[in-house]
Amino acid sequence: MKLRKTVTAVSLTAALAGSSLIATAGTAQAAGGCYVTASSATLRSKATTSSTAVGVAYRGNRCTERDYAYSGGYGWTKVTMTTGNAKGRTGWIRDDLTHTAAEDIGTCIPEDVACHH
């Protein structure tokens, strides 16, 4: 679940700060980018599997994150599709069908010059 990953990343950042390691966010996180990882994903009007379909996105289609919800045992991300046949449509996609910026957390060692932007 992505919420758990975010909490873990924050905890990791706090734990590593005292040991001279610093967690940094990837560039995709700053942009709020995401993409579909499943072969197809239904965009829904609400964060439930029983809500109306508003479009279908396919593997590799990119999106912008708008909101997050937990409903019906699933995490959901509200997205606006930026590529593919559903481009321009906004809807909810189950978290297990997408990769979001919240998952792009890296670890930076201060001595590594490639780590500093």
Side-chain angles (χ1 to χ4, degrees):
M1 186 166 85
K2 292 186 181 166
L3 180 59
R4 188 174 302 153
K5 290 178 186 177
T6 301
V7 170
T8 301
V10 170
S11 299
L12 179 63
T13 301
L16 295 178
S19 66
S20 298
L21 293 177
I22 302 168
T24 59
T27 55
Q29 185 170 7
C34 59
Y35 58 90
V36 176
T37 57
S39 58
S40 66
T42 303
L43 276 78
R44 300 206 173 262
S45 60
K46 297 178 184 175
T48 67
T49 55
S50 60
S51 68
T52 305
V54 296
V56 177
Y58 297 95
R59 180 175 286 127
N61 288 172
R62 301 200 67 75
C63 49
T64 301
E65 299 168 59
R66 301 289 180 204
D67 201 358
Y68 182 82
Y70 187 81
S71 175
Y74 295 103
W76 294 83
T77 303
K78 186 174 187 178
V79 300
T80 298
M81 298 306 301
T82 57
T83 66
N85 62 310
K87 182 178 179 178
R89 293 193 183 166
T90 299
W92 293 87
I93 298 180
R94 274 189 5 222
D95 274 356
D96 59 324
L97 306 178
T98 62
H99 176 91
T100 62
E103 298 171 276
D104 292 335
I105 303 295
T107 301
C108 179
I109 300 170
E111 293 78 19
D112 182 1
V113 294
C115 196
H116 306 283
H117 307 288

